Amino acid sequence: MSPLIVLGNEKIIDSEDVPQVDNSDRAEKLFWIFRSKLEWDDGERRITTYKLIKALFFSVWRDILLSTLFAFVYTVSCYVAPYLMDTFVQYLNGQRQYSNQGVVLVTTFFVAKLVECQARRNWYFRLQKAGIGMRSVLVSMIYEKGLTLPCYSKQGHTSGEIINLMTVDAERISAFSWYMHDPWILVLQISLALLILYRSLGLGSIAAFAATFLVMLGNIPLAKLEEKFQGNLMESKDNRMKKTSEALLNMRILKLQGWEMKFLHKILDLRGIEAGWLKKFVYNSAAISSVLWAAPSFVSATAFGACMLLKIPLESGKIIAALATFRILQTPIYKLPDTISMIVQTKVSLDRIATFLCLDDLQQDGMERLPSGSSKMDVEVSNGAFSWDDSSPIPTLKDIRFKIPHGMNIAICGTVGSGKSSLLSSILGEVPKISGNLKVCGRKAYIAQSPWIQSGKVEENILFGKPMQREWYQRVLEACSLNKDLEVFPFRDQTVIGERGINLSGGQKQRIQIARALYQDADIYLFDDPFSAVDAHTGSHLFKEVLLGLLRNKTVIYVTHQLEFLPEADLILVMKDGRITQAGKYNEILESGTDFMELVGAHTDALAAVDSYEKGSASAQSTTSKESKVSNDEEKQEEDLPSPKGQLVQEEEREKGKVGFTVYQKYMKLAYGGALVPIILVVQILFQVLNIGSNYWMAWVTPVSKDVKPLVSGSTLILVYVFLATASSFCILVRAMLSAMTGFKIATELFNQMHFRIFRASMSFFDATPIGRILNRASTDQSAVDLRLPSQFSNLAIAAVNILGIIGVMGQVAWQVLIVFIPVIAACTWYRQYYISAARELARLSGISRSPLVQHFSETLSGITTIRSFDQEPRFRTDIMRLNDCYSRLRFHAISAMEWLCFRLDLLSTVAFALSLVILVSVPEGVINPSFAGLAVTYALNLNSLQATLIWTLCDLENKMISVERMLQYIDIPSEPSLVIESTRPEKSWPCRGEITICNLQVRYGPHLPMVLRGLTCTFRGGLKTGIVGRTGCGKSTLIQTLFRIVEPAAGEIRIDGINILTIGLHDLRSRLSIIPQEPTMFEGTVRSNLDPLEEYADDQIWEALDKCQLGDEIRKKELKLDSPVSENGQNWSVGQRQLVCLGRVLLKRSKVLILDEATASVDTATDTLIQETLRQHFSGCTVITIAHRISSVIDSDMVLLLDQGLIEEHDSPARLLEDKSSSFSKLVAEYTASSDSRFKRSSMKTN
């Protein structure tokens, strides 16, 4: 350790400076030992808490056994001094048994102390090492389980809860290693103590034993309460984390809808429930600790009282030996409340982990996997029935039968909710099979409907674990038309993508996802509606280059709502209500059934609408072959990406140097302005004075030997002692309650302030901050503030006051002792200063290294289907092991640094103790009162452990205060403008016309970034429908975001009905506008809470809205109607249904201004037409602004606005723009009809 600590004094330590963990302690090695010992495969896979403990023991048994040995040696060596104390007092009183007895006594004391200090340091070090190993094993095990959990099994355990198991429960089991040996050590210590007491007090020791036993018994009901409170506290924490994680994931939607404060209040309500349990928990802990702190006084009073009654003579030597024994016994009894609380918390955590590990795994026998090329059929299903929910009487998919030979191109179509995505999932083996057979031959690649992108470089996302083959990589980029996007990115394919692809547009995410699948060069490709997030031109390019190009010899199964892609398919499966109702080639099924006719009819009508506008488009079509511009997949434009100066997602911020005094100051002031802190200190000092006073009284009044007459009667002796002991116990109760009250108040204040600032932060904060970082503060750091910090501050005050008391007592007996203490204290202080710079940075680094672990874990859970479909579990397992080792390495060295310091401090205080004894032995007889000298030595016996406790607590406190420092960072993040400005509140009826006037609008995403909108001036007339079109990066989304003030303009203004939107509050603005966003979002809860989170509407109005958006019948079929459950992220609803729920929200709100951002991307053409019809009907007098990829969605608009590079290129009615064949809009329409028409014409020519 020394080289690292020396380095810490020369520079600020970074992760690279810290050595690697030893091979035997690597996560992977420990994990496999753990797996082999878990008796994992016992048929039903019942993992009990006992099996878990056994496997944990065997994974780190060597450290546990060594620490047991050291703990035993330590405990025995502790009792050498009390055993010899009576002899020492008699020696000072002049009763010498042999020459050099003083030297022998001092040497024995010194050697015992040395052994004690060595044994304790080794014991603690080994135990903490074992704790790190156990945590590492549990994290790996929980992750492993996460990899095998079926999507439906997770519905009982949300990602937030599973992450909590990893961040809170595994961490707690690791912390338990400190307390592991305490129960048996307590038994050993009580036994040794009773032996010494029997030697000193005879039968009086039996009363001491009875009193000790009573104290233990008294704690049992309190400990049971503690277990109950702890269990409920963890459960309520899970619920809060679940809600927090959901709100953070969907913050953009919450801001657009103006719902963020409602969701904050929901989280605060959940925190209120949690705080209720926390309050009970901390007050109960305070009660336990005050009982146990009063225990030594109670036990000694009982023992001395019993001696008086039994007429056992009390001499000061024996009393001091007894007091020394009680003082040593004090430590384990003081630790008992912590130990009980820790055992309780650990049991709760172990039970939770065991329950999680017992969940069902993904069905392994549901699918027969065959190696590539071993069968003519790539996919074969016969009489298949599959269901997401085992308990449901109606399976999700039924009567499924088809065979797909190698190289076939299969399309799946059908209306929203007909089971298309479920069919793909069943081929992947994600949906449990109820009956039938399913065979899949070869490697699979899957493109999900909602893109899953990992945070990391673009290149890493595409390679996805495979080695780089530059030529193939370039072909894939070309086919997915990603080269143009990469040119825009600041670091091309080395650009770091934010969490969940936050700095990419929807189309870019989709194309990167397709590129990832292509690069894998699999045998079977499963596409789930991959073209919905891209425009017509890009869609046809991808279809041509990917499905008909690179994959022409592969088996491709694709779900699509764009019917222009169907004529090329070798086989089309039409789905309805979980069945395949038609199967065949395009023309065959066109003639044979109604379901497909309905879909095609809707599509033809949409095309006809475009055609009717576009007379004589033939001339324009000839230009399309020359057109090969950048794809127009919409969304956040290039400017939304990070500037060339740096990546969007930066390294996590880390304070440098010592935790500033202001952090402590702010922390203390959070509770009643810090008023209680001095009171707590005064009460603690009073306790110490009374405690020392009671022991002084006993030493002063009792005679040194039998032949000396006592100063007072026995009853007076005991009464005064009991009075002093009772008063000191009362002080302890007051101190414990005040500490609990202060800690609770501070935790509540910190939580409320941090969450308020996070929810009021601007969207740019969420774009640049991975959610793992915020969740880390809301869970791990909040836990430290809730439970650990208040007790650490108390322990600090107790240890500091205690040490001052001891030095006072020793100085009063022999002032010469102070000469020894001054240099020793100076040396200790210097050592602490020398050590702290390295230790502090190690603690900070280990805190930061936890975030990537949490982030990787949450990313894995959200992309589990993709990971499994590519068979990438081994690689992800290796990643988590690597991150685990990184955290263990930093944590291990932080702990080793602490032991490095404590060992040196222990040695110093042992030397000080020995020198003090030498001084006491050397003083001529009669100068010092032997009783007081003996008392001073009993206090000094505890000096090194107290000093170590003080330094350890100081350092641990500073490390824990980093949690407060990290939370305070988030209390200082800048907020958005005011939600409501009373002086400029618009009238209730605003906007009544919906006229939007934009004047010289200039927008950029950051002070140093280029302008995205460069001086837009236009008017959207009230009541008209405007379509916004343009290529990628032209600023369409930026315009919409500026309208909602998600991004604030740099110059210019926007007026709605004459009111400048920059002058009113954000809630007044956002609540009066409506938006159907591109990615449909549902929140965990019920159908009702999803449509009306603010609870503003009656059930009748909600039903009316559901009927209008075509979901009424679907929900009436469900048993719970409006209270039907919606799982995390709406996973139990199809994407199309989620989109319809978003439409329902808009219909309820009835705003005068409606924005559709790619609102119908995830639905089939028939549903799209229905939505358009609904909007026309119910928003006829409203201003509707549409961003769309399907030209049919904007062709019937009153006006079209075409943007190009942040400027308006064209703004006119579609008819006028189409008359001018050279207009950019004409060319866009020509591209769309060319790609759609040509396929339909080709298929009709085949039939003719």
PDB file of all heavy atoms in Angstrom, residues 35-55:
ATOM      1  N   ARG A  35     -21.133 -20.685  -8.114  1.00  0.00           N
ATOM      2  CA  ARG A  35     -22.106 -21.466  -8.903  1.00  0.00           C
ATOM      3  C   ARG A  35     -22.025 -22.952  -8.561  1.00  0.00           C
ATOM      4  O   ARG A  35     -23.037 -23.632  -8.401  1.00  0.00           O
ATOM      5  CB  ARG A  35     -21.828 -21.300 -10.401  1.00  0.00           C
ATOM      6  CG  ARG A  35     -22.510 -20.137 -11.082  1.00  0.00           C
ATOM      7  CD  ARG A  35     -24.012 -20.264 -11.154  1.00  0.00           C
ATOM      8  NE  ARG A  35     -24.465 -21.271 -12.094  1.00  0.00           N
ATOM      9  CZ  ARG A  35     -24.805 -21.021 -13.348  1.00  0.00           C
ATOM     10  NH1 ARG A  35     -24.746 -19.803 -13.808  1.00  0.00           N
ATOM     11  NH2 ARG A  35     -25.232 -21.986 -14.128  1.00  0.00           N
ATOM     12  N   SER A  36     -20.778 -23.445  -8.471  1.00  0.00           N
ATOM     13  CA  SER A  36     -20.622 -24.892  -8.246  1.00  0.00           C
ATOM     14  C   SER A  36     -21.089 -25.291  -6.849  1.00  0.00           C
ATOM     15  O   SER A  36     -21.536 -26.411  -6.641  1.00  0.00           O
ATOM     16  CB  SER A  36     -19.171 -25.296  -8.443  1.00  0.00           C
ATOM     17  OG  SER A  36     -18.374 -24.636  -7.476  1.00  0.00           O
ATOM     18  N   LYS A  37     -21.029 -24.354  -5.891  1.00  0.00           N
ATOM     19  CA  LYS A  37     -21.415 -24.688  -4.513  1.00  0.00           C
ATOM     20  C   LYS A  37     -22.889 -24.404  -4.213  1.00  0.00           C
ATOM     21  O   LYS A  37     -23.370 -24.702  -3.131  1.00  0.00           O
ATOM     22  CB  LYS A  37     -20.566 -23.877  -3.516  1.00  0.00           C
ATOM     23  CG  LYS A  37     -19.071 -24.092  -3.626  1.00  0.00           C
ATOM     24  CD  LYS A  37     -18.660 -25.474  -3.148  1.00  0.00           C
ATOM     25  CE  LYS A  37     -17.164 -25.680  -3.261  1.00  0.00           C
ATOM     26  NZ  LYS A  37     -16.789 -27.073  -3.076  1.00  0.00           N
ATOM     27  N   LEU A  38     -23.590 -23.795  -5.162  1.00  0.00           N
ATOM     28  CA  LEU A  38     -24.956 -23.339  -4.873  1.00  0.00           C
ATOM     29  C   LEU A  38     -25.981 -24.470  -4.927  1.00  0.00           C
ATOM     30  O   LEU A  38     -27.125 -24.281  -4.564  1.00  0.00           O
ATOM     31  CB  LEU A  38     -25.349 -22.219  -5.854  1.00  0.00           C
ATOM     32  CG  LEU A  38     -26.615 -21.438  -5.543  1.00  0.00           C
ATOM     33  CD1 LEU A  38     -26.564 -20.833  -4.154  1.00  0.00           C
ATOM     34  CD2 LEU A  38     -26.838 -20.324  -6.550  1.00  0.00           C
ATOM     35  N   GLU A  39     -25.561 -25.651  -5.359  1.00  0.00           N
ATOM     36  CA  GLU A  39     -26.523 -26.755  -5.571  1.00  0.00           C
ATOM     37  C   GLU A  39     -27.662 -26.225  -6.423  1.00  0.00           C
ATOM     38  O   GLU A  39     -28.832 -26.320  -6.083  1.00  0.00           O
ATOM     39  CB  GLU A  39     -27.044 -27.282  -4.227  1.00  0.00           C
ATOM     40  CG  GLU A  39     -25.961 -27.873  -3.366  1.00  0.00           C
ATOM     41  CD  GLU A  39     -26.454 -28.225  -1.970  1.00  0.00           C
ATOM     42  OE1 GLU A  39     -27.665 -28.416  -1.801  1.00  0.00           O
ATOM     43  OE2 GLU A  39     -25.610 -28.301  -1.072  1.00  0.00           O
ATOM     44  N   TRP A  40     -27.255 -25.620  -7.508  1.00  0.00           N
ATOM     45  CA  TRP A  40     -28.155 -24.870  -8.392  1.00  0.00           C
ATOM     46  C   TRP A  40     -29.176 -25.790  -9.048  1.00  0.00           C
ATOM     47  O   TRP A  40     -30.349 -25.509  -9.129  1.00  0.00           O
ATOM     48  CB  TRP A  40     -27.248 -24.204  -9.432  1.00  0.00           C
ATOM     49  CG  TRP A  40     -27.884 -23.388 -10.480  1.00  0.00           C
ATOM     50  CD1 TRP A  40     -28.066 -23.726 -11.770  1.00  0.00           C
ATOM     51  CD2 TRP A  40     -28.389 -22.070 -10.356  1.00  0.00           C
ATOM     52  NE1 TRP A  40     -28.638 -22.714 -12.469  1.00  0.00           N
ATOM     53  CE2 TRP A  40     -28.859 -21.675 -11.616  1.00  0.00           C
ATOM     54  CE3 TRP A  40     -28.496 -21.178  -9.300  1.00  0.00           C
ATOM     55  CZ2 TRP A  40     -29.420 -20.442 -11.861  1.00  0.00           C
ATOM     56  CZ3 TRP A  40     -29.060 -19.941  -9.547  1.00  0.00           C
ATOM     57  CH2 TRP A  40     -29.508 -19.602 -10.812  1.00  0.00           C
ATOM     58  N   ASP A  41     -28.692 -26.961  -9.536  1.00  0.00           N
ATOM     59  CA  ASP A  41     -29.586 -27.811 -10.321  1.00  0.00           C
ATOM     60  C   ASP A  41     -30.173 -28.928  -9.471  1.00  0.00           C
ATOM     61  O   ASP A  41     -29.789 -30.073  -9.566  1.00  0.00           O
ATOM     62  CB  ASP A  41     -28.821 -28.419 -11.511  1.00  0.00           C
ATOM     63  CG  ASP A  41     -28.289 -27.308 -12.403  1.00  0.00           C
ATOM     64  OD1 ASP A  41     -29.119 -26.497 -12.844  1.00  0.00           O
ATOM     65  OD2 ASP A  41     -27.075 -27.251 -12.642  1.00  0.00           O
ATOM     66  N   ASP A  42     -31.085 -28.577  -8.577  1.00  0.00           N
ATOM     67  CA  ASP A  42     -31.738 -29.643  -7.824  1.00  0.00           C
ATOM     68  C   ASP A  42     -33.186 -29.768  -8.289  1.00  0.00           C
ATOM     69  O   ASP A  42     -34.128 -29.680  -7.517  1.00  0.00           O
ATOM     70  CB  ASP A  42     -31.646 -29.389  -6.316  1.00  0.00           C
ATOM     71  CG  ASP A  42     -32.253 -28.046  -5.931  1.00  0.00           C
ATOM     72  OD1 ASP A  42     -32.594 -27.283  -6.869  1.00  0.00           O
ATOM     73  OD2 ASP A  42     -32.398 -27.753  -4.736  1.00  0.00           O
ATOM     74  N   GLY A  43     -33.344 -29.924  -9.584  1.00  0.00           N
ATOM     75  CA  GLY A  43     -34.683 -30.138 -10.149  1.00  0.00           C
ATOM     76  C   GLY A  43     -35.463 -28.855 -10.222  1.00  0.00           C
ATOM     77  O   GLY A  43     -35.515 -28.198 -11.258  1.00  0.00           O
ATOM     78  N   GLU A  44     -36.041 -28.428  -9.087  1.00  0.00           N
ATOM     79  CA  GLU A  44     -36.934 -27.258  -9.129  1.00  0.00           C
ATOM     80  C   GLU A  44     -36.161 -25.952  -9.024  1.00  0.00           C
ATOM     81  O   GLU A  44     -36.738 -24.879  -9.062  1.00  0.00           O
ATOM     82  CB  GLU A  44     -37.930 -27.327  -7.972  1.00  0.00           C
ATOM     83  CG  GLU A  44     -38.949 -28.432  -8.147  1.00  0.00           C
ATOM     84  CD  GLU A  44     -39.909 -28.452  -6.962  1.00  0.00           C
ATOM     85  OE1 GLU A  44     -40.028 -27.425  -6.282  1.00  0.00           O
ATOM     86  OE2 GLU A  44     -40.527 -29.495  -6.733  1.00  0.00           O
ATOM     87  N   ARG A  45     -34.870 -26.050  -8.799  1.00  0.00           N
ATOM     88  CA  ARG A  45     -34.043 -24.850  -8.635  1.00  0.00           C
ATOM     89  C   ARG A  45     -34.563 -23.989  -7.489  1.00  0.00           C
ATOM     90  O   ARG A  45     -34.811 -22.799  -7.638  1.00  0.00           O
ATOM     91  CB  ARG A  45     -34.060 -24.057  -9.946  1.00  0.00           C
ATOM     92  CG  ARG A  45     -32.899 -23.097 -10.051  1.00  0.00           C
ATOM     93  CD  ARG A  45     -32.820 -22.493 -11.400  1.00  0.00           C
ATOM     94  NE  ARG A  45     -31.906 -23.229 -12.228  1.00  0.00           N
ATOM     95  CZ  ARG A  45     -31.338 -22.756 -13.310  1.00  0.00           C
ATOM     96  NH1 ARG A  45     -31.590 -21.561 -13.691  1.00  0.00           N
ATOM     97  NH2 ARG A  45     -30.519 -23.482 -14.031  1.00  0.00           N
ATOM     98  N   ARG A  46     -34.768 -24.622  -6.336  1.00  0.00           N
ATOM     99  CA  ARG A  46     -35.212 -23.887  -5.148  1.00  0.00           C
ATOM    100  C   ARG A  46     -33.981 -23.344  -4.440  1.00  0.00           C
ATOM    101  O   ARG A  46     -33.227 -24.100  -3.842  1.00  0.00           O
ATOM    102  CB  ARG A  46     -35.963 -24.815  -4.181  1.00  0.00           C
ATOM    103  CG  ARG A  46     -37.231 -25.405  -4.693  1.00  0.00           C
ATOM    104  CD  ARG A  46     -38.367 -24.416  -4.882  1.00  0.00           C
ATOM    105  NE  ARG A  46     -38.516 -23.487  -3.794  1.00  0.00           N
ATOM    106  CZ  ARG A  46     -38.764 -22.194  -3.966  1.00  0.00           C
ATOM    107  NH1 ARG A  46     -38.891 -21.692  -5.181  1.00  0.00           N
ATOM    108  NH2 ARG A  46     -38.902 -21.393  -2.938  1.00  0.00           N
ATOM    109  N   ILE A  47     -33.765 -22.084  -4.533  1.00  0.00           N
ATOM    110  CA  ILE A  47     -32.598 -21.520  -3.845  1.00  0.00           C
ATOM    111  C   ILE A  47     -33.081 -20.922  -2.535  1.00  0.00           C
ATOM    112  O   ILE A  47     -33.838 -19.955  -2.535  1.00  0.00           O
ATOM    113  CB  ILE A  47     -31.926 -20.446  -4.713  1.00  0.00           C
ATOM    114  CG1 ILE A  47     -31.347 -21.121  -5.946  1.00  0.00           C
ATOM    115  CG2 ILE A  47     -30.833 -19.741  -3.932  1.00  0.00           C
ATOM    116  CD1 ILE A  47     -30.775 -20.176  -6.936  1.00  0.00           C
ATOM    117  N   THR A  48     -32.676 -21.551  -1.432  1.00  0.00           N
ATOM    118  CA  THR A  48     -33.079 -21.026  -0.127  1.00  0.00           C
ATOM    119  C   THR A  48     -31.997 -20.074   0.361  1.00  0.00           C
ATOM    120  O   THR A  48     -30.869 -20.065  -0.153  1.00  0.00           O
ATOM    121  CB  THR A  48     -33.217 -22.178   0.888  1.00  0.00           C
ATOM    122  OG1 THR A  48     -31.952 -22.850   0.938  1.00  0.00           O
ATOM    123  CG2 THR A  48     -34.298 -23.163   0.444  1.00  0.00           C
ATOM    124  N   THR A  49     -32.359 -19.298   1.392  1.00  0.00           N
ATOM    125  CA  THR A  49     -31.381 -18.369   1.975  1.00  0.00           C
ATOM    126  C   THR A  49     -30.190 -19.151   2.521  1.00  0.00           C
ATOM    127  O   THR A  49     -29.038 -18.730   2.395  1.00  0.00           O
ATOM    128  CB  THR A  49     -32.062 -17.543   3.088  1.00  0.00           C
ATOM    129  OG1 THR A  49     -33.233 -16.950   2.528  1.00  0.00           O
ATOM    130  CG2 THR A  49     -31.174 -16.450   3.614  1.00  0.00           C
ATOM    131  N   TYR A  50     -30.467 -20.325   3.096  1.00  0.00           N
ATOM    132  CA  TYR A  50     -29.390 -21.143   3.661  1.00  0.00           C
ATOM    133  C   TYR A  50     -28.396 -21.554   2.566  1.00  0.00           C
ATOM    134  O   TYR A  50     -27.185 -21.457   2.735  1.00  0.00           O
ATOM    135  CB  TYR A  50     -29.984 -22.382   4.349  1.00  0.00           C
ATOM    136  CG  TYR A  50     -28.931 -23.422   4.691  1.00  0.00           C
ATOM    137  CD1 TYR A  50     -27.999 -23.176   5.709  1.00  0.00           C
ATOM    138  CD2 TYR A  50     -28.851 -24.628   3.989  1.00  0.00           C
ATOM    139  CE1 TYR A  50     -27.017 -24.107   6.011  1.00  0.00           C
ATOM    140  CE2 TYR A  50     -27.875 -25.562   4.292  1.00  0.00           C
ATOM    141  CZ  TYR A  50     -26.955 -25.299   5.302  1.00  0.00           C
ATOM    142  OH  TYR A  50     -25.981 -26.219   5.591  1.00  0.00           O
ATOM    143  N   LYS A  51     -28.922 -22.002   1.421  1.00  0.00           N
ATOM    144  CA  LYS A  51     -28.033 -22.421   0.316  1.00  0.00           C
ATOM    145  C   LYS A  51     -27.182 -21.242  -0.164  1.00  0.00           C
ATOM    146  O   LYS A  51     -26.009 -21.394  -0.510  1.00  0.00           O
ATOM    147  CB  LYS A  51     -28.863 -22.948  -0.858  1.00  0.00           C
ATOM    148  CG  LYS A  51     -29.375 -24.362  -0.654  1.00  0.00           C
ATOM    149  CD  LYS A  51     -30.078 -24.816  -1.916  1.00  0.00           C
ATOM    150  CE  LYS A  51     -30.728 -26.161  -1.720  1.00  0.00           C
ATOM    151  NZ  LYS A  51     -31.589 -26.515  -2.844  1.00  0.00           N
ATOM    152  N   LEU A  52     -27.813 -20.081  -0.168  1.00  0.00           N
ATOM    153  CA  LEU A  52     -27.107 -18.871  -0.623  1.00  0.00           C
ATOM    154  C   LEU A  52     -25.940 -18.569   0.330  1.00  0.00           C
ATOM    155  O   LEU A  52     -24.818 -18.296  -0.113  1.00  0.00           O
ATOM    156  CB  LEU A  52     -28.099 -17.703  -0.642  1.00  0.00           C
ATOM    157  CG  LEU A  52     -27.786 -16.515  -1.515  1.00  0.00           C
ATOM    158  CD1 LEU A  52     -27.631 -16.934  -2.960  1.00  0.00           C
ATOM    159  CD2 LEU A  52     -28.914 -15.477  -1.424  1.00  0.00           C
ATOM    160  N   ILE A  53     -26.220 -18.645   1.652  1.00  0.00           N
ATOM    161  CA  ILE A  53     -25.178 -18.347   2.647  1.00  0.00           C
ATOM    162  C   ILE A  53     -24.031 -19.367   2.511  1.00  0.00           C
ATOM    163  O   ILE A  53     -22.852 -19.005   2.543  1.00  0.00           O
ATOM    164  CB  ILE A  53     -25.772 -18.401   4.073  1.00  0.00           C
ATOM    165  CG1 ILE A  53     -26.774 -17.252   4.259  1.00  0.00           C
ATOM    166  CG2 ILE A  53     -24.688 -18.321   5.136  1.00  0.00           C
ATOM    167  CD1 ILE A  53     -27.599 -17.332   5.516  1.00  0.00           C
ATOM    168  N   LYS A  54     -24.410 -20.650   2.331  1.00  0.00           N
ATOM    169  CA  LYS A  54     -23.395 -21.710   2.236  1.00  0.00           C
ATOM    170  C   LYS A  54     -22.474 -21.449   1.036  1.00  0.00           C
ATOM    171  O   LYS A  54     -21.251 -21.496   1.141  1.00  0.00           O
ATOM    172  CB  LYS A  54     -24.110 -23.062   2.104  1.00  0.00           C
ATOM    173  CG  LYS A  54     -23.201 -24.258   2.397  1.00  0.00           C
ATOM    174  CD  LYS A  54     -23.991 -25.546   2.522  1.00  0.00           C
ATOM    175  CE  LYS A  54     -23.995 -26.279   1.205  1.00  0.00           C
ATOM    176  NZ  LYS A  54     -24.630 -27.568   1.227  1.00  0.00           N
ATOM    177  N   ALA A  55     -23.098 -21.144  -0.126  1.00  0.00           N
ATOM    178  CA  ALA A  55     -22.305 -20.908  -1.339  1.00  0.00           C
ATOM    179  C   ALA A  55     -21.422 -19.674  -1.173  1.00  0.00           C
ATOM    180  O   ALA A  55     -20.270 -19.656  -1.623  1.00  0.00           O
ATOM    181  CB  ALA A  55     -23.231 -20.748  -2.538  1.00  0.00           C
TER     182      ALA A  55
END
